[in-house]
Amino acid sequence: MAEAAGGVAGAPQLRPRVLVVAGTDSSGGAGIARDVETLAAFRVSASLAVTAVTAQTHAEVRAVEILKPALVAAQMRTALEAGPIGAVKIGMLATADTVAAVAECLEDWPDLPVVLDPVIASSSGRPLISEEGVALLLARLLPRAALVTPNLPELSILADALPDARDPALAGQDPVDATAARLLAQGCRALLIKGGHAEGREAVDRLLRPGVKPLIFRAPRHAGSMRGTGCMLASAIAAGLASGQDLPMAIAAGKAYLSARFVEAGEQSLLHSFSGQSVPAL
Ligand code: PLP
């Protein structure tokens, strides 16, 4: 019998698996619920290391419980030892101690691709990581990640936390380009700057890597808002990496997935308004 790449034709295949290190969101709008549904859409399984539990509506965060960093590390280690894990996706980390625990654990799996979504605040504006946490994330996790995926507000907060934040040599430069250059100089291997918070008919993301020509990813800008888009894109990219795709291909597939979800969210919101229910932030 002819064999397909990776196994016998028609035989069941072992699904790739991604380890998600992130927080929960009781509304389902962001965090782990989004990560797991995205991975499932790519036929990728999820292992979990929960960093925090949040109780939130789409409009406000009502409670946050941060799990002990040792428990986060224990979840990661047991998942990684049970393996095989093809990639790690990191979202909400909450504290510097958790950042340190995650970074330390990843030292034992140095070749595992890591997609780092630098989660800084909830969509409703509540901080989801401390200032010390952001500083340590820059120092310890940024150089470890295969890809860091800030949106424009996150990029500006990372810029303020960089050690050379007040470097006069940077005065007068385009702030996005200047921050990107500084993050790459800090050891960041690949930076996907997401243009979703900018304006214009297209959402334009830029992939920047040291010594490589920038790659541009364009998608139509959709009307309306959807929560958890950062979680979804980072998880989709991790799914692609775990499935053996290269970074540009994984990003392109992730962007296509997100566009389809925006269209679906528009339809869902229409159905909600016809059914007379209040419209959740989809
Ligand atoms: N993780 C959790 C638990 C959240 O509540 C949020 C936002 O509310 C995020 C992550 C960030 O989501 P995103 O980056 O997709 O906007």
Side-chain angles (χ1 to χ4, degrees):
M1 190 194 284
E3 275 202 16
V8 176
Q13 305 277 311
L14 193 63
R15 279 194 188 197
R17 179 172 287 274
V18 164
L19 169 60
V20 174
V21 183
T24 69
D25 166 359
S26 53
S27 74
I32 287 173
R34 287 299 203 195
D35 296 321
V36 174
E37 74 184 17
T38 303
L39 294 173
F42 283 86
R43 299 190 61 75
V44 169
S45 300
S47 295
L48 287 182
V50 183
T51 57
V53 175
T54 75
Q56 41 182 315
T57 66
H58 295 301
E60 63 173 333
V61 179
R62 292 200 187 148
V64 177
E65 190 83 34
I66 295 162
L67 299 193
K68 289 193 176 76
L71 181 59
V72 176
Q75 294 173 81
M76 287 180 71
R77 281 188 188 284
T78 47
L80 288 163
E81 282 161 13
I85 303 278
V88 178
K89 184 257 154 161
I90 300 180
M92 176 181 177
L93 289 172
T95 68
D97 286 347
T98 303
V99 173
V102 169
E104 206 175 298
C105 178
L106 288 172
E107 280 171 13
D108 291 339
W109 283 269
D111 300 325
L112 199 56
V114 173
V115 179
L116 173 64
D117 177 18
V119 172
I120 290 179
S122 70
S123 334
S124 54
R126 160 114 175 224
L128 295 178
I129 187 165
S130 64
E131 276 183 30
E132 302 75 38
V134 175
L136 204 64
L137 179 139
L138 284 171
R140 304 257 332 248
L141 284 176
L142 183 102
R144 171 62 185 82
L147 178 69
V148 185
T149 62
N151 58 32
L152 293 173
E154 286 162 353
L155 192 75
S156 128
I157 288 165
L158 294 179
D160 291 342
L162 279 166
D164 60 350
R166 285 180 194 80
D167 185 345
L170 299 168
Q173 272 195 31
D174 172 81
V176 172
D177 289 344
T179 305
R182 285 154 62 203
L183 290 172
L184 294 176
Q186 279 272 116
C188 178
R189 294 184 231 164
L191 191 62
L192 183 69
I193 301 180
K194 298 177 293 186
H197 288 73
E199 285 176 356
R201 286 174 49 194
E202 289 183 319
V204 181
D205 297 356
R206 278 192 297 157
L207 174 63
L208 306 173
R209 289 168 291 181
V212 182
K213 228 175 125 207
L215 280 182
I216 308 289
F217 299 84
R218 296 175 189 279
R221 184 179 300 285
H222 296 276
S225 66
M226 181 166 55
R227 295 188 55 228
T229 52
C231 304
M232 286 191 263
L233 184 62
S235 287
I237 296 169
L241 296 181
S243 307
Q245 290 175 355
D246 65 15
L247 197 49
M249 188 61 211
I251 294 170
K255 292 272 293 177
Y257 171 75
L258 218 60
S259 279
R261 290 303 308 268
F262 265 109
V263 171
E264 193 190 333
E267 292 165 0
Q268 288 287 310
S269 133
L270 213 61
L271 285 176
H272 269 282
S273 57
F274 283 139
S275 70
Q277 292 171 26
S278 65
V279 182
L282 295 160

